[in-house]
Amino acid sequence: MNFIFIILTFLISAVIARILIPRILLISLRKKLFDIPDDRKIHKRAIPRLGGVSFFPTTLFAFCLVYAFRLLDGDSISTLYASYLLPELLLFACGMTLLYLTGIADDLVGVRYRQKFAIQIFCACLFPLSGLWINDLYGLFGIHELSAYVGIPFTVLTVVFITNAINLIDGIDGLASGLSSVALLVFTFLFISKGLWSYAMLSAGTFGVLVPFFYYNVFGSVERARKIFMGDTGSLTLGYTLSFLAIKYSQHNTDIMPYTEGAFLIAFSTMIIPAFDVVRVVLVRIREGHSPFEPDKNHIHHKLLAIGLSPRRAMLSLLSMSCAFSAANILLVPYINNTVLLIADIVIWIGLNLWWDYLRDRNLNSATLL
């Protein structure tokens, strides 16, 4: 029966988003709420950017509605499970609400990055307040159990990092929503395998809202006013949701979930592409003497475009890589040491970037000769 509730959460979320997004498009067009193109952006025409406004309310409605049906159907929640579930979900909803409002403000009038960071840090602190924090690295770099003095600050840093990683990777059509969809599908099955049905419902509901958005974002026609971006509202709330799910899965808590070898690496391997890309971009900016927060055209999708891939092929390539990284880590973690797997991921990522740099420079040299 729990499978039916997960599918129902997905379907309700997808249907509501399908109804909302065209209406958000209409409001954006009438009020001229556009993402204006510039030298750094790929698109050449003004496009509505409030698609992310539909994400949080739709997911919340679908999750709460189906969860109520689940309880009315006779499904009971143990006192022990509820003692973890309720504080986590309630404080998660509080953080999502604040980030949602921040994203809307940023999309409409702009918010300074210092203010956004302060709000993100506050929202990240709500996780440890609910009892949800990274307390075990499962042997990664020889580290197992983490004390609260280390794990709680590390958790806050991780939430802010992942939230911004999703925000920064949103550079071409379908990339942020596609990478998030891959991660959400993986989390849905991971939580199902552990019997954590409530968290699987949250994953499935969030994935549901992304399906119609992905269609409008990737396949929508600009000429027919059917194309939309998620904006900061969407990317901030997606990043926060993925952080919540990853930390929940990686938390060592045998009261409600059996021990999983390499759970930390498994959870965060779903977001390897945006996470690795942010680290590389920040290091490049610092090396070149620029501010880490200064926007540029050095993200991974810019590289793929520079070597001659179309935006859609670049997006599909990165989604395929994300699937490959995640699947490889999940399948190999029972047999290969966590640290070795992570180092292998990093080596592969560096190798791919060096290859893309070579192809990009060759294309630039060829263009110069012509």
Side-chain angles (χ1 to χ4, degrees):
M1 190 66 182
N2 285 315
F3 285 106
I4 295 176
F5 288 127
I6 290 173
I7 295 170
L8 192 58
T9 307
F10 165 78
L11 291 175
I12 291 174
S13 184
V15 169
I16 294 174
R18 175 64 182 82
I19 294 170
L20 284 179
I21 289 175
R23 284 153 181 80
I24 293 172
L25 262 168
L26 183 61
I27 293 170
S28 299
L29 291 167
R30 286 181 176 177
K31 300 297 181 181
K32 301 187 186 305
L33 304 173
F34 298 127
D35 189 345
I36 305 301
D38 57 31
D39 292 339
R40 191 175 57 87
K41 295 175 181 177
I42 307 301
H43 60 284
K44 303 302 181 184
R45 298 180 61 176
I47 296 173
R49 61 182 176 190
L50 294 179
V53 170
S54 65
F55 292 3
F56 174 48
T58 299
T59 304
L60 182 66
F61 177 85
F63 177 83
C64 291
L65 181 66
V66 176
Y67 210 96
F69 287 156
R70 182 179 165 191
L71 295 176
L72 292 171
D73 189 57
D75 192 2
S76 60
I77 303 175
S78 69
T79 303
L80 178 63
Y81 186 60
S83 67
Y84 291 106
L85 175 68
L86 292 179
E88 289 172 4
L89 289 181
L90 290 173
L91 287 174
F92 166 72
C94 290
M96 280 283 282
T97 302
L98 189 53
L99 279 177
Y100 178 75
L101 295 174
T102 303
I104 292 175
D106 195 24
D107 287 332
L108 293 178
V109 297
V111 177
R112 293 181 179 178
Y113 72 83
R114 286 190 178 89
Q115 294 174 325
K116 282 199 289 188
F117 265 120
I119 293 169
Q120 288 171 13
I121 290 170
F122 175 81
C123 293
C125 289
L126 296 178
F127 288 178
L129 186 62
S130 71
L132 183 64
W133 51 281
I134 299 169
N135 59 1
D136 200 326
L137 294 187
Y138 299 85
L140 188 65
F141 299 112
I143 303 170
H144 289 271
E145 185 177 351
L146 295 177
S147 69
Y149 296 106
V150 176
I152 289 176
F154 181 56
T155 299
V156 173
L157 178 65
T158 301
V159 174
V160 173
F161 173 74
I162 294 298
T163 301
N164 282 283
I166 300 299
N167 180 247
L168 293 172
I169 203 70
D170 185 24
I172 56 177
D173 294 343
L175 185 54
S177 57
L179 290 173
S180 298
S181 294
V182 170
L184 289 164
L185 276 174
V186 172
F187 280 129
T188 299
F189 289 109
L190 288 176
F191 284 120
I192 288 174
S193 69
K194 299 303 175 187
L196 297 179
W197 301 99
S198 302
Y199 300 93
M201 284 170 56
L202 177 62
S203 302
T206 309
F207 172 59
V209 78
L210 291 179
V211 172
F213 170 80
F214 186 87
Y215 173 80
Y216 278 95
N217 181 228
V218 176
F219 302 104
S221 169
V222 179
E223 290 75 16
R224 297 176 58 194
R226 305 289 285 177
K227 192 176 189 67
I228 196 167
F229 293 157
M230 69 170 65
D232 276 10
T233 310
S235 59
L236 289 175
T237 52
L238 277 180
Y240 193 67
T241 302
L242 291 172
S243 302
F244 175 79
L245 296 170
I247 293 169
K248 181 61 187 178
Y249 186 81
S250 63
Q251 187 181 41
H252 183 188
N253 185 352
T254 52
D255 288 342
I256 61 172
M257 185 168 69
Y259 181 86
T260 302
E261 187 69 36
F264 180 81
L265 182 62
I266 289 173
F268 286 95
S269 67
T270 59
M271 293 164 279
I272 273 183
I273 298 292
F276 280 7
D277 188 51
V278 167
V279 173
R280 182 190 59 80
V281 167
V282 168
L283 291 176
V284 169
R285 289 174 183 173
I286 293 173
R287 185 188 66 190
E288 295 178 350
H290 300 148
S291 167
F293 307 106
E294 182 181 335
D296 56 26
K297 298 185 71 171
N298 195 38
H299 285 283
I300 190 63
H301 48 275
H302 292 125
K303 282 191 178 186
L304 295 183
L305 295 175
I307 67 175
L309 294 184
S310 66
R312 190 167 298 177
R313 287 186 63 189
M315 179 266 293
L316 291 173
S317 298
L318 291 171
L319 295 193
S320 300
M321 279 184 270
S322 180
C323 292
F325 274 119
S326 189
N329 287 339
I330 291 171
L331 294 174
L332 294 176
V333 78
Y335 311 104
I336 300 177
N337 180 271
N338 285 350
T339 307
V340 174
L341 266 181
L342 179 58
I343 292 173
D345 291 337
I346 294 171
V347 169
I348 292 170
W349 179 253
I350 292 173
L352 287 171
N353 273 273
L354 291 174
W355 172 246
W356 293 326
D357 285 341
Y358 166 75
L359 293 177
R360 180 188 60 186
D361 294 341
R362 189 179 67 177
N363 284 353
L364 289 174
N365 292 332
S366 299
T368 302
L369 291 175
L370 293 173

